[in-house]
Amino acid sequence: MKKKKWTPFDIILTFFMLIVVVVTLYPFLNILAISFNDAVDTARGGIHIWPREFTLANYQEIFGSNDRLLQAFTMSVLRTVVGTVAGIIASTMLAYVLSRRDFVFNGLVGFLLVLTMFISGGLIPEYLLIRKLGLINEFGVYIWPMLLSAFNVIIIRSFMDNLPPALEESAKMDGANDFVIFLRIIIPLCLPVIATIALFLAVMQWNSWFDTYLYARGNEALTTLQFELMKIIDNANISSGDINNQNAQVIAGQTSPQSIKMAITIIATVPILAVYPFLQKYFVTGLTIGAVKS
């Protein structure tokens, strides 16, 4: 087998990509190292991608100071799964309707949909609406307000518009109705864009904590991981405001606010990061379809 000769362009491109990889991974590895490093040693500085004095004290402090983290984690997973599935169903169905050329109100609905991207009622009207709908301290407050996004619908619709019309026409000739066409033809062909939107929705649901603070704070069963971690960060910030108290904690061998923040960042990031490998094949499929399209 003949070996490929390295050209100057290949060398420059490889060097550039290595720099991109280092710049991308270094912040995450640095946070990971600090989260597993001893608080006293961290105060000295100089931690890069490997902890000098390995310890689990930072994570023990987080899980030991809050006995609701496991329940909050379960609720975060539940709202992420249900919210993502519900959002995908609603977005794909609306996008399919808007992609139909024979839909009479296509222009009007599309205009109203885009209008929501530029005009918002604000926080107070939104709160009054959610209270009027009876969603305060209810699980539905995590699902219904985030059910539809104009941006997601437009992306899916644009993808559907590029599908060959002959597929739908041939299915109709075989006697297929709109539901059969949507479920057996449109959905399988739209898996790449659906995977992309699913990732958007999952990240948004997983990272949300402000809606818990506003609408579900009165129901402890609805507390989420992000909300509980935010309270821990607030307590750490209060402690860090008192320099004498912070120094006393470090000298006593306890965790420092910086170490707590880094550990919380890892706890909040790793679960949603684990979703990426399962969606990667759909991204590759979407690139392949886009590359061979006429």
Side-chain angles (χ1 to χ4, degrees):
M1 182 177 178
K2 187 177 180 181
K3 294 184 179 179
K4 179 183 176 181
K5 293 183 178 180
W6 282 67
T7 64
F9 175 78
D10 293 332
I11 297 175
I12 295 175
L13 181 61
T14 302
F15 179 73
F16 175 76
M17 294 305 298
L18 288 175
I19 293 178
V20 171
V21 170
V22 171
V23 171
T24 304
L25 291 181
Y26 177 77
F28 183 79
L29 294 178
N30 179 250
I31 293 174
L32 185 63
I34 294 177
S35 70
F36 282 108
N37 197 72
D38 181 71
V40 178
D41 185 67
T42 300
R44 293 165 45 200
I47 303 296
H48 297 291
I49 63 174
W50 195 261
R52 277 195 302 257
E53 296 184 15
F54 183 85
T55 180
L56 295 176
N58 301 319
Y59 293 93
Q60 291 172 350
E61 175 68 20
I62 293 174
F63 288 99
S65 62
N66 194 323
D67 56 356
R68 292 202 301 266
L69 281 183
L70 181 58
Q71 174 188 343
F73 177 81
T74 304
M75 180 56 59
S76 291
V77 172
L78 182 62
R79 70 168 292 182
T80 300
V81 173
V82 176
T84 301
V85 173
I88 285 296
I89 293 174
S91 299
T92 51
M93 292 182 68
L94 180 57
Y96 175 65
V97 172
L98 294 178
S99 67
R100 295 292 301 269
R101 295 172 178 82
D102 56 348
F103 180 51
V104 178
F105 301 103
N106 200 324
L108 177 61
V109 176
F111 172 76
L112 294 177
L113 193 66
V114 174
L115 196 63
T116 61
M117 300 177 64
F118 301 97
I119 300 177
S120 173
L123 184 60
I124 295 178
E126 181 181 349
Y127 180 85
L128 295 176
L129 175 62
I130 291 178
R131 188 178 67 177
K132 188 71 174 179
L133 294 174
L135 295 177
I136 299 296
N137 293 326
E138 297 291 340
F139 180 76
V141 77
Y142 294 148
I143 308 302
W144 295 112
M146 298 183 181
L147 188 63
L148 272 178
S149 169
F151 177 76
N152 295 341
V153 173
I154 291 173
I155 291 179
I156 299 176
R157 176 192 175 182
S158 300
F159 192 93
M160 291 181 178
D161 287 338
N162 291 325
L163 296 178
L167 295 175
E168 185 176 344
E169 295 172 359
S170 60
K172 286 184 176 180
M173 293 178 61
D174 292 336
N177 56 31
D178 290 332
F179 287 102
V180 173
I181 295 173
F182 175 70
L183 293 175
R184 297 189 178 183
I185 298 178
I186 302 300
I187 292 298
L189 292 175
C190 291
L191 283 181
V193 70
I194 290 176
T196 303
I197 299 302
L199 185 60
F200 291 166
L201 291 173
V203 171
M204 180 180 64
Q205 287 281 1
W206 178 261
N207 289 333
S208 294
W209 66 270
F210 194 58
D211 52 357
T212 306
Y213 175 76
L214 287 178
Y215 310 124
R217 189 169 44 171
N219 189 346
E220 292 185 356
L222 294 178
T223 187
T224 59
L225 179 64
Q226 306 298 337
F227 182 61
E228 294 299 326
L229 295 180
M230 181 58 62
K231 291 194 295 185
I232 295 176
I233 290 178
D234 287 341
N235 293 333
N237 288 334
I238 294 175
S239 299
S240 64
D242 188 350
I243 302 299
N244 293 328
N245 182 38
Q246 180 180 354
N247 291 336
Q249 288 180 341
V250 175
I251 293 174
Q254 300 177 7
T255 57
S256 65
Q258 182 186 11
S259 301
I260 290 292
K261 292 177 183 178
M262 297 306 174
I264 286 176
T265 302
I266 296 299
I267 294 173
T269 303
V270 170
I272 196 65
L273 195 63
V275 178
Y276 279 82
F278 298 99
L279 300 177
Q280 183 65 30
K281 64 177 182 179
Y282 295 109
F283 297 151
V284 175
T285 303
L287 293 175
T288 305
I289 293 176
V292 301
K293 250 175 43 177
S294 57

